Amino acid sequence: MKKFTKIVATISDRRCDVDFIRDLYENGMNVVRMNSAHIQYEGFRRIVENVRTVSPSIGILMDTKGAEIRTTTNLDDQNIEYQPGDKVTFIGDPKGVTDKTTIYLSYINIARDVRPGVRFLIDDGEIAFLVDSIEGDKIYATAQNGGSLGSRKSVNVPGVSIDLPSLTDRDRTNIGYAIDLGVDFIAHSFVRSARDVLDIQEILDAHNSPIKIISKIENQEGIDNFDEILDVSYGIMIARGDLGIEVPAERIPVIQNQLINKCILRHKPVIVATQMLHSMINNPRPTRAEVSDIANAVNQHTDALMLSGETAYGKYPVEAIATMTRVAAEVEKSLINTRPAPLVEPDVTSFLSRQAVISSEVLSTKAIITDSYTGRTARYIASFRGSYPTLAICYYPYVVRLLALSYGVLPLYQERMESSRVYLQNALIHLIESGRLTKEDRIAYLGGAYGEGHGTSFLEINNVGKIMENFQSYNLPNLEEAHI
């Protein structure tokens, strides 16, 4: 593990060969993201198979489209040029063909939801139109600036609640693909409320799927309802692209900090996304502002950072991953843990996780080790943002991939063994051989005395050399009955 902060990389089915994915993985990628807006089933299958060929430890995340609005295809698929003051009519009709005077939108009932005075921001805000009046299904508007409009561009309407269903038909189809292919995470776009998340969870539950939901926060409604969204989500993605259009740009750093804090307090992984190394789509080196952006997110103790076009179609994908890894690792060396510590609930796992992290400061432990049935204990440890790594010994391969999003966690799968003692011994051997520990170091070990699925119940702090030298007589609670 080169750094504590994890990296998510967007991969296209047009560039997903095994050697390419391996290069990204070896340079610091932890999770692969698939953008469902641009991939069909065979593309999903090819990416998943190639990722699994490289390593069964890489997490795989699929996006949904969610409640989004787009323009339709342009006449002759040609870009349309607009100047400030141009008059345009907007109509909700996904079958319409957009031309210079009429822009058709994918949402049929758009005229019902908007009002005069609101703005349409098209193509990530490149072109803005001010709504003048509404007559029936026609919306009359004026261009606020010049720009070029291509086909099927995104449309944001800041300050307006759009009454779209949270899932499109294509989303439902793609969720079925995700279940069939064994994807690990679904990142749901444009989440506005807990109900949007539960719509997906009901589908997953009906198929008994272990897929976890990451809610993408990218509009004002998502911010307003963040607490209820967090309650029902496995994790959060702060998708700053659309969010930066929906809310004033100067508010984004503050919102980012607030949302990261809330996720840490609730022991849930959080991803910061969008334009982190945007210049590296075309250039081999980042701008200083981009390096500072990464450093800021790492200083805020995000669990993960995400790359989009940089790795999906950029000219320097491997260099972008390597750059992000170097910046994160360098910043982590200087971190002073000033984060608001998560509340230690009246919960054994929470309490013992906090004490394990404190042990590095008080007793100079150099690593935390835990055996993991669901990943819960490892996620709790991660949320306390310690200065030393956590080795999570996982009973199931999919838990390894879930923990690929958790800060400072090195997850390893080990086949079932006769006792917790053997798990611990193998973990220590791994850490010693990889140079992370010496026999003179102390470690903190979190385990359960009642076997798999019964939770964490004890914290053991001991010297590595003593454990290894006295392995045959070394005992853990309820050792012979744990059967883990």
Side-chain angles (χ1 to χ4, degrees):
M1 189 168 66
K2 300 175 182 179
K3 70 302 188 254
F4 283 28
T5 309
K6 305 301 178 68
I7 295 177
V8 182
T10 305
I11 302 298
S12 165
D13 58 332
R14 298 180 180 180
R15 184 169 63 179
C16 66
D17 60 89
V18 170
D19 288 341
F20 173 67
I21 294 171
R22 182 176 290 111
D23 282 344
L24 298 182
Y25 179 55
E26 290 177 350
N27 279 277
M29 178 188 72
N30 304 99
V31 176
V32 162
R33 169 184 174 245
M34 303 185 296
N35 188 344
S36 65
H38 306 294
I39 304 176
Q40 303 300 323
Y41 178 78
E42 282 305 310
F44 290 133
R45 183 189 59 77
R46 185 161 60 252
I47 292 173
V48 171
E49 289 181 355
N50 289 353
V51 170
R52 296 287 184 251
T53 297
V54 172
S55 172
S57 300
I58 302 172
I60 300 178
L61 177 151
M62 178 192 286
D63 271 10
T64 63
K65 291 181 65 179
E68 71 167 358
I69 304 174
R70 287 188 175 271
T71 64
T72 63
T73 302
N74 290 354
L75 183 65
D76 299 326
D77 204 25
Q78 297 294 310
N79 284 5
I80 302 170
E81 301 298 325
Y82 289 99
Q83 299 297 325
D86 284 350
K87 299 295 183 178
V88 173
T89 301
F90 286 90
I91 298 177
D93 180 0
K95 296 180 180 179
V97 178
T98 292
D99 59 27
K100 175 77 173 181
T101 60
T102 306
I103 299 177
Y104 288 91
L105 304 179
S106 60
Y107 176 39
I108 294 175
N109 295 321
I110 183 66
R112 184 185 65 190
D113 291 354
V114 300
R115 61 188 182 277
V118 303
R119 292 188 304 158
F120 287 148
L121 302 180
I122 299 181
D123 193 10
D124 294 336
E126 291 297 317
I127 312 175
F129 292 89
L130 180 67
V131 174
D132 299 318
S133 62
I134 302 169
E135 296 180 9
D137 64 350
K138 295 181 179 179
I139 303 168
Y140 299 101
T142 303
Q144 300 296 288
N145 63 283
S148 180
L149 174 64
S151 295
R152 298 190 53 76
K153 295 302 180 180
S154 62
V155 180
N156 293 85
V157 193
V160 175
S161 178
I162 301 296
D163 189 24
L164 276 168
S166 66
L167 291 171
T168 65
D169 290 340
R170 179 166 181 176
D171 284 337
R172 294 180 183 278
T173 298
N174 288 338
I175 291 169
Y177 295 160
I179 294 169
D180 292 342
L181 293 169
V183 167
D184 305 296
F185 306 98
I186 289 176
H188 192 21
S189 298
F190 301 101
V191 172
R192 300 161 295 183
S193 67
R195 182 69 257 169
D196 289 354
V197 183
L198 294 175
D199 286 344
I200 293 184
Q201 192 61 59
E202 288 170 1
I203 298 173
L204 299 178
D205 290 345
H207 291 82
N208 196 29
S209 170
I211 293 174
K212 303 302 181 186
I213 301 171
I214 306 295
S215 292
K216 295 173 68 175
I217 304 301
E218 43 195 335
N219 53 38
Q220 186 63 52
E221 283 185 274
I223 296 170
D224 294 341
N225 299 320
F226 184 76
D227 291 343
E228 70 172 56
I229 292 169
L230 187 59
D231 283 342
V232 295
S233 303
Y234 177 83
I236 295 293
M237 181 188 294
I238 305 171
R240 303 178 306 176
D242 281 280
L243 187 59
I245 301 167
E246 291 276 332
V247 302
E250 63 272 15
R251 289 186 56 207
I252 298 300
V254 176
I255 291 171
Q256 176 177 306
N257 191 43
Q258 291 172 340
L259 300 191
I260 290 173
N261 282 348
K262 288 190 174 187
C263 291
I264 291 174
L265 291 170
R266 294 289 302 280
H267 316 287
K268 297 197 175 188
V270 55
I271 307 164
V272 175
T274 317
Q275 294 186 336
M276 303 218 74
L277 287 172
H278 189 71
S279 71
M280 290 192 73
I281 292 175
N282 294 305
N283 300 304
R285 287 176 296 278
T287 67
R288 291 169 181 81
E290 289 169 337
V291 171
S292 295
D293 185 32
I294 295 171
N296 182 53
V298 174
N299 270 312
Q300 292 174 345
H301 283 292
T302 184
D303 283 273
L305 306 165
M306 194 177 91
L307 295 171
S308 299
E310 299 95 332
T311 49
Y313 55 84
K315 295 178 181 178
Y316 303 98
V318 177
E319 292 84 351
I321 290 284
T323 297
M324 183 167 275
T325 294
R326 288 194 304 271
V327 174
E330 190 65 29
V331 174
E332 288 165 2
K333 293 176 185 176
S334 62
L335 282 182
I336 298 175
N337 195 355
T338 57
R339 306 302 299 167
L343 298 174
V344 181
E345 304 94 335
D347 173 270
V348 174
T349 299
S350 179
F351 179 81
L352 293 179
S353 296
R354 177 59 176 156
Q355 303 318 305
V357 172
I358 290 176
S359 73
S360 67
E361 303 167 11
V362 179
L363 300 174
S364 299
T365 54
K366 292 297 188 290
I368 301 172
I369 301 173
T370 185
D371 43 1
S372 190
Y373 178 69
T374 64
R376 179 173 182 261
T377 298
R379 287 197 304 275
Y380 270 59
I381 297 168
S383 69
F384 288 104
R385 300 299 195 257
S387 301
Y388 292 97
T390 298
L391 179 64
I393 310 162
C394 303
Y395 305 146
Y396 300 108
Y398 83 90
V399 176
V400 174
R401 298 191 289 271
L402 294 185
L403 293 174
L405 275 181
S406 292
Y407 181 91
V409 177
L410 175 63
L412 292 175
Y413 168 67
Q414 287 193 11
E415 295 183 359
R416 290 171 181 263
M417 298 176 183
E418 65 271 22
S419 70
S420 296
R421 181 175 61 185
V422 178
Y423 273 102
L424 177 57
Q425 182 192 39
N426 286 353
L428 292 177
I429 290 172
H430 174 85
L431 291 171
I432 291 170
E433 290 181 347
S434 63
R436 294 181 175 89
L437 283 181
T438 70
K439 290 187 177 181
E440 288 70 41
D441 291 329
R442 282 177 175 167
I443 58 101
Y445 175 65
L446 281 164
Y450 300 102
E452 65 179 45
H454 294 284
T456 298
S457 62
F458 68 85
L459 168 62
E460 162 90 7
I461 296 176
N462 215 324
N463 175 268
V464 174
K466 283 185 177 180
I467 297 173
M468 301 300 286
E469 292 164 11
N470 299 281
F471 174 69
Q472 295 303 323
S473 60
Y474 177 70
N475 287 316
L476 290 169
N478 205 21
L479 176 64
E480 299 304 323
E481 299 180 15
H483 302 302
I484 53 179

